[in-house]
Amino acid sequence: MIQRKLFICLILSLLSVSSLFSQADLSGYKIFVNPGHGGYDSNDRHIIATDFWESEGNLVKGLYLRQLLMNLNATVYMSRTTNTTDDDLALSVIDEMANSANVDFFLSIHSNGYAGTSNQPLTLFRGYDNAPVFAGAKTMATIIWQKLYEKGNCWTNSSQYVKGDWTFYPDWGDQVGLGVLRTLNMPGVLSEGSFHDYISESWRMRNEDFLHHESWALLRSFLQYYNINPSQYGVIAGVVRDTLLTPSWYFKPGTRDQKMPLNGVKVTLTPGDKIYNVDNLNNGFFFYDSVTPGTYKIYFDGLADYYRDSLIVEVTANTSTLADFYMQYDTLKVPQLVSFGPEQTDSTLFNQAFTFSFSLPMNPDSVKKALQLVPSVDMTYTWDGEYKVLVVKPLAGYASKTNYTFTLGTRACSKWKVSLDQEKVYSFVTFSRQNLKVEKTYPTDGRSAVSLYPQMRVCFDAPLNETIASAEINVLNSSGEALAKKNEGFISSGGKGVYFFELEQPLSLDAQYRLFLGAGVSDGTGLTLGEDTEYSFTTHISPYPTGTVVESYEDITKFWDPESSGSTTGTSGSLTTFTASSEVKHAGSYSGRLNYVFTGTSGVCRVFDTSKPSIGSDAASSFGIWVFGDLSNNLLEYWFYSNGSTNQIVKVDTIDWAGWEFKSIPFTSIGASGDILFHSTVIRQTGIGETSGTLYFDNGTTFIPTGIEDQYADDIDLIISPNPLVNNGKIRFNLSLDSFVTISLYGLDGRKVAEIFNAELETGVNEIPWVPASYLPDGIYIIRLDIKPERGGRVTTKAARWVLAR
């Protein structure tokens, strides 16, 4: 970057230029700059993968633009100059600030987000596409879009994206549009400079000079709009990349972003020897402003594994010269084995995969020939796209309790035929494994209140022989008959094996079943379970409620994709989607299918229903949705609007079930009165939750609870184990709200024989230990769970049978 004194010289030079057709500077013009959002609030956008906040990016661009405009003698007003909660002003207040100042033009600066797959500029003005409220606003929006487009070369779409807000937001009502443009007395434009959820762009936006480059584009827009003499200087901007490296995040194929930016490059502009040190934020961006037109040479060096190289560029006044550069590996370097793992010397799994990571792209055929395993085992070889990471895995499995040795010889060579400098040797001993093992099931042994429409799941410590598993694993009724199955499937991942299936017919209410696993169930090597195993469970006590369907999920176009729903954060945009499913549905022709992938530890995935169906105002009612659970242990929430726009968030349940289940909440838990609108289904990542999953939603229903449903709440899972109980037992249940909980023990005659627990507990899964008193005779008892939410609402009760057999 040049020194401030040089920048001032630039401005003085600009002021000295005039012509018969244009003004020398912006003297006399008043401009209002609104950096959108503010204060890291709920309406801010935080991209967890890059730690970018839109409020920060908007402010950096706005402050720099203010300085550029003031340097040209414009009078500039701003809605905020810091980034606190107090800065997040109401849109009507911002408009009033601009109106009171009687400015000539209003600019609201933003960045955009959609599904993590798009990157392009967007500008909006008040009115319809072909009928702007202020004709100058559409003119300026078109100029800004063109200037923004010209300053970049990483766009995923080249179509001009200039829209009237009434056309762009038809669902908001006739002539409603953007609040920040709604009450202005002068032309105004909202600019979305790029898409911050497109991760490559998000990394670039972490570089302040990249944001300053957008400010320069906005300055050029004002110069053209007001017919001011253009700048006599130009800008050089570019990204340094490696042609052999591919980013781990999403990029649009065919764009420059399919090659990895390089960190820490030293960029030198000559003549002048102006040095720009590329940051370490995965953007590779470099930038020189206020450059005199002419021919320059740029040198790229500073990275040990790359050749020093150069590029000649031509700088033109009042434009940006885009000077992307691809650095080349030093092909004479000796490749190194950077890591091998896991380095397990003992108790290695029978199907353990091993990963070899190299410092340079390798010749895959030479590595395969150089890699030997003794004793010999048939292996699979899988490379990453850059041929730097190799994963080897046994085709079937290693022998039990056996010593193995990997040897990687010096015949292994890089892509450029340079060999490893020394042989590598690794040894390990496999685990003594006698039988196939069950790691977990759904339902678990002793689980009560299981849905009538469950998806059965059995997870093993190894991938299965699918034919045998399908024949040997069944659900048995009380007569020992196997129930017909449907939708069977197998998953092999991470050395594990999972078998799942559903049942052709619904299960019966208040009935006991057994998940039966035959002794012959085996893995791919022929190792069997060894003995018959079964897991008993009971179904719901009370029937499912009936009522009025307010959301059928038949029209998927009413729903916004999670990345467009506003509150979604910490998800992979390209892998998190909401689509229609005709294969997995509870009723009708379709359900809504949510695929989600969390990228951090505190993700929120929201699906917004634009129809916002009313669920009524009767405080005695309840609302529920049929939800096909994925056993993720993440939290399910329903969001509502009261009084038209006040958001009400209700925690519904921890997703610890698989298959269709009707998950309902009483209106009293919403905490509002009057007409209630249902608008979103939300999955909130928990500390024990899975990072990915698939859920289905169907038939959102309002209903009046009956006496049976009031007494037995099927939306609360009560699990008692073991059952029958001999010594120490556990009582496990979930709370959707902080509540006062009482657990009591009753005999079959209805007499209360013991109080097990009585205290306040927090939202989530709770587990209470219980050791039966010695005076209690063996027999059948009823465990009763009473729950009273702390913030009010009906008391709900859940019961289950527990057999005591000491």
Side-chain angles (χ1 to χ4, degrees), residues 22 63 67 181 258 353 394 408 434 507 584 721 757:
S22 60
L63 288 172
Q67 187 60 53
L181 303 179
Q258 68 184 359
L408 180 63
Q434 305 302 320
L507 300 177
V584 180
S721 64
F757 184 83

Side-chain angles (χ1 to χ4, degrees), residues 58-114:
N58 297 341
L59 183 59
V60 170
K61 290 184 281 188
L63 288 172
Y64 198 74
L65 175 61
R66 179 181 69 169
Q67 187 60 53
L68 293 176
L69 292 169
M70 290 173 63
N71 288 340
L72 291 176
N73 292 326
T75 301
V76 183
Y77 301 85
M78 290 189 72
S79 59
R80 66 183 177 99
T81 58
T82 56
N83 198 26
T84 69
T85 297
D86 292 340
D87 296 316
D88 197 10
L89 303 176
L91 302 181
S92 59
V93 172
I94 296 172
D95 282 6
E96 181 56 33
M97 293 169 66
N99 291 336
S100 297
N102 193 29
V103 300
D104 297 294
F105 203 92
F106 178 95
L107 176 63
S108 186
I109 299 175
H110 293 256
S111 55
N112 209 343
Y114 178 58

Side-chain angles (χ1 to χ4, degrees), residues 438 440-444 454-460 473 475 489 491 497-502 515 517 535 628-632 657-659 690 693-696:
V438 178
K440 60 182 178 181
T441 67
Y442 181 81
T444 53
Q455 183 188 67
M456 319 306 294
R457 294 193 185 186
V458 190
C459 180
F460 296 88
I473 300 177
V475 173
I491 301 173
V498 179
Y499 173 47
F500 61 88
F501 61 90
E502 297 168 53
L515 176 59
L517 285 61
Y535 304 86
F628 194 102
D630 59 2
L631 278 181
S632 65
W657 75 93
E690 300 290 339
T694 300
L695 298 163
Y696 299 83

